[in-house]
Amino acid sequence: MLEERLGNRPCGGKYGDIVQAIGHTPLVELKRLSPKPGVRLFAKLESYNPTGSVKDRVARALIEDAEERGAIQPGQTILEPTSGNTGISLAMICSRKGYPLKVVMPDNVTIERTQLLQMYGAEIVYSPGEQGSNGAVAMALDMAEADASYYMPYQYGNQANPDAHYHGTAVEILEELDQVDMFVAGLGTGGTLMGNGRRLKEENPNTIIVAAEPLQGELVQGLRSLDDGFIPPIIDISLLDRKIFVSNRDSVIWTKKLLVEEGLFAGVSSGAIAAIAVRAAEQLDEGNVVFIVADDGWKYLSSGVYTKPIEQLEAEGVLESASFW
Ligand SMILES: Cc1ncc(COP(=O)(O)O)c(C=O)c1O
């Protein structure tokens, strides 16, 4: 019956405000991208969060943890280095809770990111684009040292970041699947991999945790290579079973595949993660593989990634230039 087929889960929950509505994201099976019949591939759509990325969970945890510890009170300025998503999430949450926000980010991120931050009332401080997110981190640390009135949550070293996944994302995945054989996510701060990895391995020590890392010198927005010299303090490398490198080219190809084959309008890091998830899943005979769709594609539209053929992107030099996404 049509009614039954159109019938949905009753509701994703009822909440007092938009901050509380963070999380509870859908887990969607991708049948066409699964490498073999016995292997089921699931995407956890973090793009369904209020500002469109996984970082809503983290930003909420960073601010509410500081509130609970008495470290901040409304009116205090929050300072954070971020290449985009965490800043956008913090901007929304800080505007709701009454904290002015200063975001330090590379000057070559897309115009959409700048506008989203401004839209939520954040102040932007630009760091040199060629230094990537490491340059933003260094500049923010200097600013915080010079002015003690800032509160810097510092997602790279704050346990509230992985905890947001340990208590949130991972629990939601385990509510839906009896067994998780492999979990794949991108490596940025490492929060997603650490929090989910720890919780999923507590449930099943055999769950294989796979990190998608950009090739050194190729900067997929939001991701970092541990070989570039900075290992975020929250990362415990022993929790990662595998680290697999992915090129910008493959990240874009798989971003397109997610769109064309499965109807998912995801960000470029999700293409990188999907490429690695499918490659790693090929090595299983059967089982459930979960990967993270960290954000949606709106912020990357101006790069042309979704509309131009790969050859054109290549010819225009878009693939070499992380600044386009
Ligand atoms: C688009 C995108 N993908 C992936 C990640 C990586 O997540 P994490 O910081 O939890 O390692 C980020 C983090 O900044 C991101 O913005």
Side-chain angles (χ1 to χ4, degrees):
M1 276 204 4
L2 184 64
E3 269 169 47
E4 263 171 39
R5 276 191 280 122
L6 294 181
N8 208 328
R9 283 192 144 192
C11 172
K14 173 168 157 282
Y15 307 98
D17 66 20
I18 193 74
V19 176
Q20 291 170 31
I22 289 167
H24 322 282
T25 56
L27 188 66
V28 175
E29 184 161 8
L30 306 184
K31 294 205 172 92
R32 298 182 64 163
L33 292 185
S34 163
K36 48 179 102 162
V39 175
R40 300 183 71 185
L41 187 64
F42 294 91
K44 179 76 170 153
L45 301 186
E46 290 302 303
S47 44
Y48 273 57
N49 278 300
T51 77
S53 93
V54 66
K55 291 296 181 177
D56 281 357
R57 296 183 189 266
V58 174
R60 178 185 183 184
L62 292 171
I63 295 299
E64 293 190 349
D65 168 71
E67 285 178 333
E68 275 164 29
R69 288 187 291 106
I72 54 172
Q73 286 178 348
Q76 175 150 16
T77 299
I78 311 287
L79 173 73
E80 185 72 2
T82 160
S83 57
N85 281 334
T86 303
I88 294 163
S89 299
L90 276 172
M92 186 275 276
I93 289 164
C94 288
S95 77
R96 291 301 83 217
K97 288 176 175 277
Y99 300 97
L101 174 69
K102 260 190 201 177
V103 166
V104 185
M105 68 176 190
D107 60 13
N108 56 359
V109 302
T110 59
I111 181 73
E112 289 92 332
R113 281 170 189 262
T114 302
Q115 288 180 347
L116 280 159
L117 285 164
Q118 287 168 342
M119 181 181 101
Y120 286 119
E123 188 185 323
I124 303 169
V125 180
Y126 287 108
S127 58
E130 68 278 7
Q131 291 174 17
S133 54
N134 287 354
V137 170
M139 186 183 272
L141 287 170
D142 285 348
M143 287 170 70
E145 203 171 314
D147 184 344
S149 71
Y150 290 130
Y151 176 78
M152 186 153 99
Y154 196 50
Q155 58 169 342
Y156 293 91
N158 191 325
Q159 190 56 31
N161 172 4
D163 283 354
H165 295 283
Y166 181 93
H167 296 293
T169 326
V171 176
E172 292 171 26
I173 293 168
L174 290 169
E175 271 168 13
E176 299 301 333
L177 296 176
D178 293 335
Q179 182 161 323
V180 180
D181 298 282
M182 188 180 273
F183 175 83
V184 189
L187 200 129
T189 63
T192 309
L193 282 159
M194 293 299 115
N196 284 287
R198 207 164 277 137
R199 182 70 190 85
L200 294 174
K201 275 187 187 282
E202 275 173 18
E203 194 72 15
N204 171 11
N206 295 325
T207 302
I208 301 165
I209 307 299
V210 182
E213 260 194 85
L215 286 171
Q216 215 183 348
E218 296 208 5
L219 300 172
V220 176
Q221 189 69 55
L223 304 188
R224 66 168 53 252
S225 166
L226 290 182
D227 299 337
D228 74 1
F230 173 64
I231 299 182
I234 56 168
I235 292 189
D236 169 6
I237 298 195
S238 69
L239 214 56
L240 303 177
D241 295 292
R242 301 182 61 189
K243 284 192 304 143
I244 305 182
F245 288 110
V246 59
S247 66
N248 276 352
R249 189 172 202 278
D250 279 351
S251 304
V252 170
I253 288 174
W254 282 83
T255 304
K256 288 171 169 298
K257 273 194 207 226
L258 286 173
L259 181 66
V260 174
E261 307 262 335
E262 299 281 2
L264 286 186
F265 179 42
V268 182
S269 82
S270 305
I273 297 164
I276 296 305
V278 172
R279 209 190 302 169
E282 275 165 10
Q283 280 150 21
L284 297 178
D285 292 325
E286 55 180 16
N288 293 329
V289 175
V290 176
F291 77 92
I292 296 289
V293 167
D295 63 0
D296 54 30
W298 293 103
K299 292 183 295 290
Y300 312 92
L301 261 183
S302 63
S303 69
V305 157
Y306 306 90
T307 46
K308 295 179 185 171
I310 191 85
E311 296 74 23
Q312 188 180 346
L313 293 167
E314 220 155 27
E316 289 175 3
V318 176
L319 299 186
E320 288 100 66
S321 165
S323 61
F324 281 90
W325 59 77

